[in-house]
Amino acid sequence: MVEKGHAQLSVAAQCRLLSIPRSTFYHQPAGETVENLALLQIIDRQFMETPFFGVRQMTWHLRNEGYAVNPKRVRRLMRLMGLMPIYRKPNTSKPAKGRRPFPYLLRGLTIDRPNQSPPLGIMLRMTLPGSGCADITYLPMRRGFLYLVAIMDWHSRRVLSWRLSNTLEAEFCADALDEAIARFGKPEIMNTDQGSQFTSFAWIDPLRKAGIRISMDGKGRFLDNIFIERLWRSVKYECVYLHAWETGSEARAGLRTWFDFYNQRRPHAALDGQPPDVVYRNGTTINQPDQETRRVA
């Protein structure tokens, strides 16, 4: 927006016209320190084991491990990862400003076929024609971190689509949703939590235009997203923690390989030892993606 070396306007003049301070233009984000990146990985691993640890318990745990941290620092890092401990409390997920949450539509609903309603997975939650969910999770890397969102068919536990992003903007979630619908068809219900990504216009508008019923978890209802939480545990222990990815391209390639394995060959305890693809094919036909789709997934 501001152009250095402009023929007629200096940087100061351009900033003045845009009503932004010059310090904002020249500011270079410092990123997280090496120590904070190490703490992020430790917190993430521990939270997978003890998802009921809040800021106080996590602070005590880190101090017991020899790290000199205070609650303010731990709170910021947990917020950065989108970690919310399991306990009853108000305001577990904050919707986008001016957006109201939708009612939860899956209570008492029997999900007995694929695409009836799917889950999404900072780990985001959602629901497809059967049922499903969506969720977002934090992924540690050697020198940074990314966020992963996945869309899962609730009945077969098949991951229908996924995306990586270095921010928590809603667009990468909407892209995953568009791909899932394009490849596997329109769901009856889409269920998510009440986070700002799922109450945003970018997420809600395509669902309304497609005539998809919108459902959202109630406050404090962590069990509404249990399937995607189990997926996160599997993908982290079986893939992410075994590698130290340097770049987003490496992470994307590694996750693509693991999700193919998970869908096509990995036995699933909830499916009597069958992989998700087998159960999914018994209820609906899967459109195989072309090479370009696989490359950008």
Side-chain angles (χ1 to χ4, degrees), residues 4-15:
K4 286 186 176 180
H6 193 278
Q8 298 178 340
L9 295 173
S10 65
V11 169
Q14 293 179 69
C15 289

Side-chain angles (χ1 to χ4, degrees), residues 158-202:
R158 191 188 198 280
V159 176
L160 305 178
S161 66
W162 54 276
R163 285 292 189 278
L164 285 175
S165 174
N166 59 0
T167 71
L168 283 175
E169 300 297 328
E171 282 69 21
F172 82 117
C173 305
D175 289 343
L177 173 63
D178 290 342
E179 181 189 341
I181 293 176
R183 289 182 54 196
F184 299 95
K186 185 174 69 174
E188 296 174 7
I189 301 174
M190 184 64 68
N191 186 71
T192 67
D193 65 17
Q194 299 179 24
S196 60
Q197 295 84 5
F198 302 119
T199 55
S200 67
F201 180 82

Side-chain angles (χ1 to χ4, degrees), residues 71-100:
K72 182 179 178 180
R73 186 180 188 183
V74 173
R75 180 178 291 106
R76 186 183 73 82
L77 295 177
M78 290 184 70
R79 284 178 176 172
L80 184 63
M81 291 185 284
L83 299 182
M84 184 66 67
I86 294 172
Y87 60 93
R88 291 192 63 83
K89 56 193 178 299
N91 221 12
T92 56
S93 296
K94 294 184 178 180
K97 186 173 292 186
R99 302 281 178 178
R100 63 174 182 82

Side-chain angles (χ1 to χ4, degrees), residues 171-282:
E171 282 69 21
F172 82 117
C173 305
D175 289 343
L177 173 63
D178 290 342
E179 181 189 341
I181 293 176
R183 289 182 54 196
F184 299 95
K186 185 174 69 174
E188 296 174 7
I189 301 174
M190 184 64 68
N191 186 71
T192 67
D193 65 17
Q194 299 179 24
S196 60
Q197 295 84 5
F198 302 119
T199 55
S200 67
F201 180 82
W203 180 266
I204 296 296
D205 187 58
L207 296 176
R208 282 176 166 166
K209 287 181 177 178
I212 299 170
R213 299 171 66 195
I214 301 171
S215 170
M216 291 184 179
D217 299 341
K219 292 180 180 180
R221 291 286 304 170
F222 64 91
L223 288 177
D224 291 343
N225 203 33
I226 191 65
F227 293 159
I228 203 73
E229 298 291 348
R230 289 172 177 169
L231 173 68
W232 294 149
R233 182 179 178 84
S234 297
V235 72
K236 289 192 176 186
Y237 278 100
E238 298 176 14
C239 181
V240 177
Y241 292 159
L242 299 180
H243 303 87
W245 292 316
E246 292 276 359
T247 66
S249 298
E250 292 180 3
R252 192 169 288 108
L255 288 169
R256 183 180 298 114
T257 298
W258 188 86
F259 279 124
D260 286 345
F261 162 74
Y262 170 85
N263 281 332
Q264 299 167 16
R265 304 194 307 278
R266 183 182 182 277
H268 202 296
L271 306 176
D272 294 328
Q274 298 181 92
D277 259 0
V278 173
V279 177
Y280 191 93
R281 283 198 303 267
N282 288 338

Side-chain angles (χ1 to χ4, degrees), residues 97-126:
K97 186 173 292 186
R99 302 281 178 178
R100 63 174 182 82
F102 289 78
Y104 184 62
L105 303 179
L106 302 184
R107 186 168 289 108
L109 180 65
T110 300
I111 308 301
D112 56 4
R113 63 189 187 281
N115 280 2
Q116 188 177 343
S117 170
L120 281 187
I122 184 172
M123 306 173 222
L124 303 175
R125 260 178 327 249
M126 100 177 182

